[in-house]
């Protein structure tokens, strides 16, 4: 379970409170399969059982250790540490957001890095994957024009800085929400260091210009470019976050047993109950129309039919056809420019995997006659990150490889097969290490300030 605790600085305008809650909800909605693992609450964060003296000592040691190892020159600010807590009548302590803000403010402006660092000290070694994530919104403007900063325990956003940028009305709302969702991306490991297509610039960022995790996502130019797009994050960032939720936070997936059947051919059985505006068509349309656009292909949907039926027409004259009577039973076929049957473009299989990931389903190999069709679906499933759960998939062995005719496909599968073998061992040790929260690592994780 991951609970978002909201902290709003006293005097913050109501609209920022509403927008912050909306942004967090928008973020949660990106992961329908993990939706049940999220909760949101107004903050009332107390440390009932913690001995603050022990925590202070631990912090001091951590800071000294980091200085010894020349990771940082920062000293533990013990005075500030004690001053951010309020003692409650029952003897427990509460880390006060107002006090943290006061301690991190100079000349009426907020040092947002300092604020973040105080919160990390207050959380101390209590960090674990199941710990709540604080969503802290300040009224104050931040030094250095920093809009937001994130750690694994808190996201700090300066509404004051966002307000001073000159955006108005809906633009201000969209921008402010973008900043929050960007910082949440950091907190949920969207751009971790082992991933490709990232760059190190004030935290790790994505190299995809259309992605909200892009290194210059905060600029006016990026904001305007992105406003025309529907999806905030690129597929790589989405996959990294899903991976984090599944493997580090150990979220439970909704519809654990739900599968998406993939079949070869066209759907000939049309259930009468599906109206032309059936809800399931939306998810299919989103995936396939966006993908066609990326391939510079034409997307044509026959919206008058009770089932989902779309064609993707490529420049070379070939056409992929997708039909589905429900969200969990998809049929794929294709023809070349002369109307002869051929295998659908590999991208269609990747689209189906993306669709299954969105729904939180496993892929079930349905009615499929050709080995090459199976092979394409297998490639798309194995390439996916995290790897797609499969039902009824052929085993990736030499016997299967011999039945595949397309040489390029065969080579691709051979590479994936070798990778599977070499990865099996070291991956296991990696997972165990990653599960143990490391306080030193946590304190360094001031990722994503801007
Ligand atoms: Zn990205
Ligand atoms: Zn960032």
């Amino acid at each position: 379970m991951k609970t978002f605790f909201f902290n709003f600085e006293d005097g913050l305008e109501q609209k920022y409170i509403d927008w912050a809650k909306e942004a967090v909800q928008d973020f949660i909605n990106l992961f329908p399969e993990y939706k049940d693992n999220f909760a949101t609450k107004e903050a009332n964060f107390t440390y009932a059982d913690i001995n603050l003296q022990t925590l202070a000592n631990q912090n001091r040691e951590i800071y000294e250790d980091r200085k010894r190892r020349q990771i940082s020159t920062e000293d533990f600010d013990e005075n500030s540490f004690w001053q951010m807590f309020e003692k409650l009548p029952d003897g427990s302590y509460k880390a006060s957001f107002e006090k943290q803000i006061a301690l991190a403010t100079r000349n009426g402006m907020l040092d947002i890095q300092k604020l973040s660092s105080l919160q990390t000290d207050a959380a101390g070694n209590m960090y674990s994957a199941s710990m709540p994530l604080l969503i802290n919104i300040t009224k104050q403007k931040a030094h250095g024009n920093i809009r937001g900063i994130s750690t694994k325990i808190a996201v700090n956003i300066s509404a004051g800085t966002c307000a001073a940028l000159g955006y108005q009305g809906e633009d201000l709302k969209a921008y402010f929400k973008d900043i929050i969702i960007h910082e949440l991306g950091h907190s949920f490991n969207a751009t971790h260091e082992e991933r490709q297509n990232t760059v190190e610039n004030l935290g790790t960022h994505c190299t995809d210009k259309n992605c909200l995790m892009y290194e210059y996502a905060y600029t006016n130019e990026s904001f305007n470019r992105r406003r025309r797009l529907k999806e905030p994050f690129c597929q790589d960032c989405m996959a990294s976050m899903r991976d984090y939720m599944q493997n580090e936070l150990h979220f439970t997936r909704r519809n654990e047993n739900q599968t998406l059947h993939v079949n070869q051919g066209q759907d000939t059985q049309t259930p009468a109950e599906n109206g032309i505006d059936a809800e399931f068509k939306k998810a299919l349309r989103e995936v396939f129309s966006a993908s066609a656009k990326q391939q510079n292909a034409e997307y044509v949907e026959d919206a008058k039919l009770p089932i989902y039926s779309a064609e993707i027409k490529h420049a070379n004259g070939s056409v992929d056809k997708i039909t589905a009577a429900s969200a969990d039973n998809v049929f794929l076929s294709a023809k070349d420019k002369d109307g002869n049957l051929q295998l659908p473009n590999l991208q269609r299989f990747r689209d189906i995997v993306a669709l299954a990931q969105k729904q939180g389903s496993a892929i079930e190999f349905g009615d499929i006659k050709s080995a090459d069709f199976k092979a394409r679906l297998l490639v798309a499933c194995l390439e996916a990150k995290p790897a797609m759960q499969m039902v009824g998939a052929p085993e990736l062995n030499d016997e299967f490889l011999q039945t595949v005719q397309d040489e390029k496909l065969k080579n691709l599968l051979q590479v994936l097969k070798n990778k599977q073998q070499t990865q099996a061992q070291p991956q296991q040790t990696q997972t165990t290490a990653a599960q143990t929260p490391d306080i030193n690592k946590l304190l360094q994780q001031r990722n994503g300030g801007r």
Side-chain angles (χ1 to χ4, degrees):
M1 194 58 144
K2 197 63 157 179
T3 307
F4 294 101
F5 274 98
F6 290 102
N7 270 306
F8 301 110
E9 184 179 358
D10 286 348
L12 180 72
E13 269 184 81
Q14 183 63 37
K15 65 180 179 190
Y16 293 106
I17 295 176
D18 297 339
W19 296 344
K21 288 178 179 173
E22 253 185 68
V24 167
Q25 196 54 54
D26 287 356
F27 179 81
I28 294 172
N29 291 345
L30 293 171
F31 307 94
E33 72 275 39
Y34 295 123
K35 226 174 165 169
D36 305 335
N37 298 273
F38 291 108
T40 56
K41 283 186 180 151
E42 298 273 340
N44 183 18
F45 209 46
T46 60
Y47 295 92
D49 304 314
I50 197 140
N51 180 336
L52 287 188
Q53 187 58 60
T54 310
L55 184 55
N57 293 343
Q58 266 171 1
N59 275 321
R60 198 182 312 106
E61 272 170 37
I62 288 162
Y63 277 81
E64 276 165 14
D65 180 55
R66 285 166 59 202
K67 276 172 83 172
R68 264 196 304 275
R69 291 192 288 144
Q70 299 183 328
I71 296 167
S72 150
T73 55
E74 215 181 325
D75 282 308
F76 175 49
D77 184 349
E78 186 149 358
N79 273 336
S80 295
F81 174 80
W82 287 103
Q83 286 170 34
M84 72 179 136
F85 292 97
E86 257 171 48
K87 194 168 183 177
L88 302 175
D90 69 353
S92 66
Y93 287 90
K94 182 185 183 211
S96 153
F97 187 45
E98 297 302 325
K99 286 188 174 191
Q100 288 170 347
I101 292 171
L103 287 164
T105 298
R106 283 177 284 120
N107 309 324
M109 287 246 267
L110 185 69
D111 178 344
I112 207 164
Q113 309 243 16
K114 168 86 181 169
L115 179 67
S116 193
S117 150
L118 284 169
Q119 289 159 354
T120 310
D121 293 348
N125 56 0
M126 284 173 68
Y127 174 76
S128 74
S130 60
M131 196 167 163
L133 183 70
L134 305 177
I135 310 290
N136 302 323
I137 315 288
T138 72
K139 187 182 72 172
Q140 305 234 32
K141 267 184 75 171
H143 285 282
N145 233 6
I146 297 178
R147 285 83 150 156
I149 190 166
S150 62
T151 64
K152 287 274 190 292
I153 60 156
V155 165
N156 279 292
I157 308 290
S158 165
T161 301
C162 293
L165 295 171
Y167 293 110
Q168 304 290 335
E170 284 301 306
D171 281 344
L172 177 58
K173 176 181 175 179
Y175 186 86
F176 179 70
K177 283 174 69 179
D178 269 6
I179 301 293
I180 296 176
I181 296 171
H182 172 95
E183 295 304 339
L184 285 173
H186 282 300
S187 293
F188 286 86
N189 230 22
T191 50
H192 59 86
E193 277 142 22
E194 287 116 74
R195 215 196 82 185
Q196 289 186 334
N197 316 328
T198 57
V199 60
E200 192 61 36
N201 179 8
L202 295 168
T204 316
H205 288 99
C206 182
T207 54
D208 184 336
K209 279 190 163 193
N210 291 329
C211 177
L212 187 48
M213 295 315 289
Y214 181 54
E215 54 181 324
Y216 305 112
Y218 285 13
T219 63
N220 202 11
E221 191 195 343
S222 292
F223 177 64
N224 288 330
R225 174 174 353 101
R226 290 200 52 270
R227 287 218 74 173
R228 297 191 301 269
L229 305 167
K230 273 190 200 144
E231 305 286 339
F233 298 110
C234 73
Q235 289 299 326
D236 284 345
C237 285
M238 284 300 291
S240 301
M241 287 188 280
R242 287 199 173 100
D243 191 25
Y244 181 72
M245 289 173 190
Q246 181 78 40
N247 299 316
E248 302 269 333
L249 300 182
H250 302 289
F251 277 6
T252 43
R253 282 167 87 115
R254 185 186 272 198
N255 307 324
E256 199 85 57
N257 302 314
Q258 186 179 310
T259 56
L260 193 156
H261 299 248
V262 183
N263 311 285
Q264 190 174 11
Q266 289 189 31
D267 194 2
T268 47
Q269 295 181 324
T270 309
E273 68 263 29
N274 282 325
I276 55 169
D277 297 322
E279 185 62 25
F280 82 92
K281 287 186 178 185
K282 216 177 113 191
L284 288 148
R285 184 178 302 131
E286 255 176 41
V287 167
F288 288 111
S289 67
S291 176
K293 203 171 156 195
Q294 279 221 329
Q295 285 190 307
N296 287 321
E298 194 190 348
Y299 174 84
V300 186
E301 183 183 331
D302 190 346
K304 287 190 206 76
L305 292 176
I307 63 164
Y308 174 82
S309 173
E311 290 186 340
I312 292 175
K313 299 181 174 175
H314 298 272
N316 66 5
S318 67
V319 179
D320 297 325
K321 188 168 176 87
I322 311 110
T323 50
S326 68
D328 54 13
N329 206 22
V330 177
F331 288 75
L332 271 186
S333 63
K335 283 178 180 167
D336 68 11
K337 64 175 182 5
D338 303 317
N340 302 314
L341 280 176
Q342 66 169 22
L343 286 170
N345 195 287
L346 182 57
Q347 185 57 40
R348 295 294 81 71
F349 297 88
R350 292 179 174 134
D351 296 345
I352 287 187
V353 168
L355 182 70
Q357 272 179 330
K358 268 192 172 176
Q359 295 174 350
S361 309
I363 292 272
E364 179 154 356
F365 286 60
D367 184 11
I368 301 171
K369 302 274 186 300
S370 126
D372 282 54
F373 189 103
K374 276 185 196 165
R376 284 182 187 220
L377 185 54
L378 190 58
V379 165
C381 289
L382 293 173
E383 278 179 349
K385 279 179 193 159
M388 194 71 226
Q389 201 193 331
M390 295 177 281
V391 181
E395 208 183 317
L396 184 48
N397 53 24
D398 293 334
E399 205 186 330
F400 175 69
L401 280 176
Q402 275 166 18
T403 63
V404 178
Q405 286 176 3
D406 183 337
E407 285 301 323
K408 255 168 93 179
L409 200 58
K410 208 183 257 188
N411 291 337
L412 207 53
L413 281 166
Q414 189 66 54
V415 172
L416 288 165
K417 181 172 170 261
N418 296 341
K419 220 168 160 184
Q420 269 185 346
Q421 280 160 352
T422 51
Q423 269 182 359
Q425 198 51 33
Q427 241 184 7
Q428 255 179 351
T429 38
Q430 234 179 26
T431 322
T432 339
Q435 276 166 11
T436 320
D438 176 350
I439 186 70
N440 291 327
K441 209 172 150 194
L442 177 71
L443 285 171
Q444 290 161 33
Q445 273 167 347
R446 308 271 160 70
N447 43 9
R450 198 38 87 82

